[in-house]
Amino acid sequence: MSDAQNLPSNGISYKQAGVDIDAGNALVEAIKPAVRSTRRPGADAEIGGFGGLFDLKAAGFVDPILVAANDGVGTKLKIAIDTGRHDTIGIDLVAMCVNDIIVQGAEPLFFLDYFATGRLDVANAKAIVEGIAEGCRQAGCALIGGETAEMPGMYHGNDYDLAGFAVGAAERGTLLPRADIAAGDALVAIASSGIHSNGYSLVRRIVEMSGLDWFMPAPWDEKQSVSDALLVPTRIYVKPLLAALRAGMEIKAMAHITGGGFIDNIPRVLPDHLAADIDLAAVAVPKVFAWLAKVGGIDEREMLRTFNCGVGMLVAIAPDDTSRFIQHLIDSGERAAMVGRLTERTGAPVTFRGALAL
């Protein structure tokens, strides 16, 4: 008699241990239409196999360099979890990865996600993945795979976590920053849609201190609840920036303003001999940042190192192309303005003039 036949008939099942394989299979079927909607040249955006495929030649590349990025959404997830609103958090996940790829002059090509939870709720997971698919459509990349992990005991209640992985490509010799980046190049700020996906541990602490709950009107925008205002998804800048690069605009470098704000992100794309000189008075600061600074008692430097303060992307561009670039962004539905220039570095890599409108 085999060992299997000797097992007790009242043995526990995987489902009884907290993992529902059928729910996982149901989720795969439920999200297939959203995944298919992200098809693009190079990928058919089908899921269910052991790996996702992408054809660089079909995407039009001749001699490509691959560029990869991965990220998460941070504790912005807690607001989605606490309010039961899961439809936009996937856009944030995609944005945090693809915006890091476009700043290197590369086109995001495909995306994979990792979704981990204690108990799989198919409806909530479907909403999350549909948000991821929407982010992929905004970025023009294909959702070619992912992983759903049901891990009872690791996550409690409705808690879940997300991670994203994106891969892009650029033709050899076209990556940013360019070697001819120089003092005198203009700095153009492209507006954020709000807080984006950084600083939410501080944001949640300030909301708690203020006595507000998620469903009350936002003091900085009473047409929205606090949670709706804070869950506005991260802006995805891929398509207008890719179009500008393909149109031959002389973009020298780009910085995605994420965790670390202006102070830590801008130096990442500058050579040692250059500094960014920024006029803070030229930055259009959304009201939410003024509210956070006031209620939290946060000084300007801390704001500049924690939040984007209204600038989702900073672009260094040749002076002669500045007006053309700004008009292109405006025509693409973005809000943009020149906020400074690159200078020869004599001290800090980022210097400020004026003050934020806090």
Side-chain angles (χ1 to χ4, degrees):
M1 186 176 291
S2 70
D3 289 341
Q5 289 173 310
N6 284 325
L7 288 174
S9 60
N10 62 344
I12 191 170
S13 70
Y14 203 13
K15 185 173 182 179
Q16 289 169 324
V19 178
D20 189 342
I21 295 173
D22 291 333
N25 291 335
L27 174 62
V28 171
E29 291 303 313
I31 64 176
K32 279 185 176 180
V35 173
R36 289 184 184 124
S37 73
T38 70
R39 283 175 172 160
R40 54 149 295 150
D44 63 8
E46 286 291 340
I47 57 170
F50 287 96
L53 306 178
F54 193 92
D55 185 341
L56 285 166
K57 186 175 181 180
F61 287 90
V62 178
D63 186 17
I65 300 292
L66 294 179
V67 179
N70 72 294
D71 213 332
V73 184
T75 61
K76 189 174 186 177
L77 282 176
K78 282 294 293 178
I79 303 176
I81 293 165
D82 291 347
T83 60
R85 182 178 168 186
H86 310 285
D87 57 329
T88 61
I89 206 74
I91 301 174
D92 290 290
L93 183 67
V94 175
M96 295 303 290
C97 296
V98 297
N99 284 343
D100 279 356
I101 285 177
I102 188 62
V103 299
Q104 295 176 87
E107 176 188 358
L109 300 175
F110 60 86
F111 189 86
L112 301 97
D113 70 276
Y114 174 76
F115 170 65
T117 185
R119 181 184 65 82
L120 182 60
D121 183 311
V122 174
N124 288 347
K126 180 174 180 283
I128 293 164
V129 176
E130 286 176 343
I132 293 171
E134 171 59 23
C136 287
R137 290 192 295 270
Q138 290 183 23
C141 65
L143 177 57
I144 66 169
E147 169 67 6
T148 300
E150 194 172 17
M151 299 190 290
M154 287 289 290
Y155 298 89
H156 302 284
N158 296 318
D159 286 351
Y160 62 86
D161 198 9
L162 292 173
F165 310 84
V167 174
E171 292 293 354
R172 193 177 303 274
T174 65
L175 288 171
L176 299 179
R178 281 171 39 167
D180 62 347
I181 188 171
D185 286 339
L187 294 173
V188 173
I190 312 178
S192 67
S193 55
I195 302 173
H196 283 183
S197 298
N198 297 101
Y200 274 83
S201 295
L202 179 55
V203 170
R204 292 185 302 109
R205 178 74 177 272
I206 293 170
V207 170
E208 182 182 358
M209 288 169 47
S210 73
L212 293 171
D213 68 44
W214 299 128
F215 302 101
M216 294 173 67
W220 60 91
D221 183 0
E222 295 193 349
K223 294 179 181 178
Q224 297 188 86
S225 68
V226 172
S227 61
D228 284 350
L230 295 178
L231 285 172
V232 171
T234 304
R235 190 92 176 153
I236 293 175
Y237 302 100
V238 170
K239 289 183 178 179
L241 290 175
L242 199 58
L245 289 167
R246 288 173 172 169
M249 297 184 200
E250 286 196 79
I251 294 173
K252 304 292 190 70
M254 294 187 269
H256 184 200
I257 309 302
T258 56
F262 288 56
I263 293 170
D264 289 348
N265 284 293
I266 297 171
R268 296 167 68 182
V269 300
L270 296 179
D272 290 342
H273 68 284
L274 293 179
D277 179 53
I278 297 174
D279 179 5
L280 294 177
V283 175
V285 183
K287 292 180 180 178
V288 62
F289 294 108
W291 182 83
L292 289 167
K294 180 179 179 181
V295 176
I298 309 172
D299 65 32
E300 184 179 79
R301 184 170 179 83
E302 184 70 12
M303 291 294 294
L304 287 166
R305 198 177 185 195
T306 304
F307 300 113
N308 67 61
C309 296
V311 179
M313 192 75 71
L314 191 72
V315 180
I317 188 164
D320 291 346
D321 252 353
T322 303
S323 296
R324 177 188 175 205
F325 178 58
I326 291 173
Q327 189 59 54
H328 160 74
L329 291 168
I330 292 170
D331 292 344
S332 301
E334 305 294 340
R335 290 174 291 123
M338 182 175 164
V339 296
R341 290 193 181 277
L342 293 181
T343 62
E344 294 294 338
R345 188 183 303 189
T346 58
V350 185
T351 59
F352 301 104
R353 293 175 287 112
L356 290 173
L358 298 174

